[in-house]
Each structure stands twice: as structure tokens, then as C-alpha cells.
Amino acid sequence: MKRVAILISGGGSNMQALAESMSGDHPARPVLVMANSETAGGLEKARAMGIPTAAVDHRPYKGDRAAFEAALQDKLEAAAPDILCLAGFMRVLTEGFVSRWQGRMLNIHPSLLPKYRGLDTHARALAAGDSEHGCTVHEVTPALDDGPILGQARVPVTPGDTPEDLAARVLEQEHRLYPAVLARFAAGDRRPVMFP
Ligand code: GRF
């Protein structure tokens, strides 16, 4: 049984979808949900699901990323995960941290990578006049929002969409895609999951 730690910063809707998917004959189980803030809404959701939680506030480290990541690493070593899922985790991780977990760390990004790395992806897709948009699950490598693609889900852009409309449509697909990718990845299968 693979042990999965999920890192969050906010509401944790992707965390919740992942945690709920890990049941029955699924080859993985959640062993930790960790946030970079004590007040991340997802921590309460994890506690309600009976999943151990941790919080390491990044602010006291004032930009000393290595020290912040050492604190994360301590909590992770205690939980001994086989797989790390970044799910709405909004801190950039250094090469030092990534290299320790590379090959075992996934992230979900709200665009059809390699388009729109970084932030404000929905507004950028609308500004570009794209007819479709979506989300990507990828293996985390030191370069931001880069790394081998493990899955993508596409949604149509409809006339009059606001960034919020698009974000909601993409988020719905994130909650389908990420669990599907994790189930495959945990079984040792790295073939990409493509929706539709
Ligand atoms: C989602 O849009 C996801 O694509 C991005 O973080 C946002 C919030 O996710 N990575 P969640 O509700 O906290 O899972």
C-alpha cells in the first residue's frame, strides 16, 4: 500500500478529492495533509476525514526557503510517504527539496501545460482568446510547472466566460483528473491520463 502525503495552502478541494478516492482496492492511502498555514481550510477537511495533519507556517522563515523546507521535511519524514501530491500548494520549492522527492512528487496546475506556467492562468487563456483550456498533472522537477505530464483534462471556453467561470469549470475536472492520475501512478503506471 503506497503512503501519500498531500501538501496544500488553501481550501484543499483537490486534497479532498484525492483523499476520498483512496479507498477499497486503490493502491494508496493518505497518511498526511500538510499546509504552509495553520489556517488553511483544507486542514479542517482533512481532520474531519481522520487524516493526520501538520502545518508549517512559511512566514517566520522570511524567505529562508531552505529552513522552511527543512521543517516540511521533518514532518514528512515522520509520516514516511512514498508519494507527495502538491494540491493547491502555493510555495515555490527549491531544487534541494525537489531533488529529494523527484520521481515521487506530483502537482496539479490549472492550464494545459506547457501553456501558461505560473499564475492567473484562466485570465491569460481568456486574454489569448483560447477556445479550450484545462488542467495538467505533472511530475515536479526543479523548473516551475515543468516536468513529465501525467495527465490533462480539457474544457471548452465559452463566450462571455469570466476567469471565475473558467476556474470553476477547470476545478471540476481537476477533481476527476488528479485522482485518476494518482491511482495509475501509485500502481507504477506512468502512461498519461487524457480527458476527454
Ligand atoms: C486550484 O485551482 C488548483 O489548480 C491550484 O490551486 C487551486 C486551489 O486548489 N493548484 P484547492 O481547492 O486548494 O485544491
Side-chain angles (χ1 to χ4, degrees):
M1 190 65 78
K2 296 284 189 223
R3 299 166 59 86
V4 175
I6 305 172
L7 272 61
I8 64 170
S9 293
S13 70
N14 275 291
M15 174 279 296
Q16 190 163 5
L18 288 171
E20 285 171 354
S21 75
M22 287 185 259
S23 63
D25 60 2
H26 190 295
R29 288 295 184 276
V31 295
L32 178 67
V33 171
M34 177 155 59
N36 63 297
S37 156
E38 306 270 356
T39 60
L43 291 175
E44 188 45 47
K45 289 178 185 142
R47 281 192 282 271
M49 297 171 82
I51 304 169
T53 60
V56 178
D57 191 331
H58 65 277
R59 290 168 301 184
Y61 296 94
K62 291 188 178 33
D64 180 350
R65 288 184 188 279
F68 167 59
E69 291 171 353
L72 292 179
Q73 187 68 16
D74 284 350
K75 303 282 188 187
L76 288 169
E77 278 168 10
D82 304 296
I83 298 169
L84 232 45
C85 288
L86 306 182
F89 187 69
M90 302 307 274
R91 306 303 299 168
V92 172
L93 295 164
T94 67
E95 182 157 2
F97 184 91
V98 172
S99 58
R100 266 199 295 277
W101 292 95
Q102 194 157 343
R104 302 182 288 159
M105 180 159 56
L106 311 181
N107 180 46
I108 188 154
H109 178 76
S111 79
L112 294 173
L113 290 174
K115 295 179 81 167
Y116 313 127
R117 292 188 173 88
L119 300 173
D120 300 323
T121 61
H122 311 298
R124 290 158 65 193
L126 288 172
D130 292 354
S131 58
E132 67 171 13
H133 185 42
C135 51
T136 302
V137 177
H138 62 96
E139 285 190 44
V140 176
T141 57
L144 184 69
D145 299 331
D146 201 3
I149 287 177
L150 293 171
Q152 289 196 313
R154 296 175 183 296
V155 300
V157 177
T158 51
D161 270 343
T162 64
E164 294 68 31
D165 297 331
L166 205 42
R169 196 172 307 135
V170 169
L171 193 61
E172 209 175 324
Q173 294 305 314
E174 292 178 33
H175 297 161
R176 293 180 62 225
L177 180 69
Y178 213 168
V181 170
L182 176 60
R184 219 179 245 192
F185 189 81
D189 179 351
R190 285 183 152 103
R191 284 175 304 142
V193 174
M194 295 313 217
F195 293 150

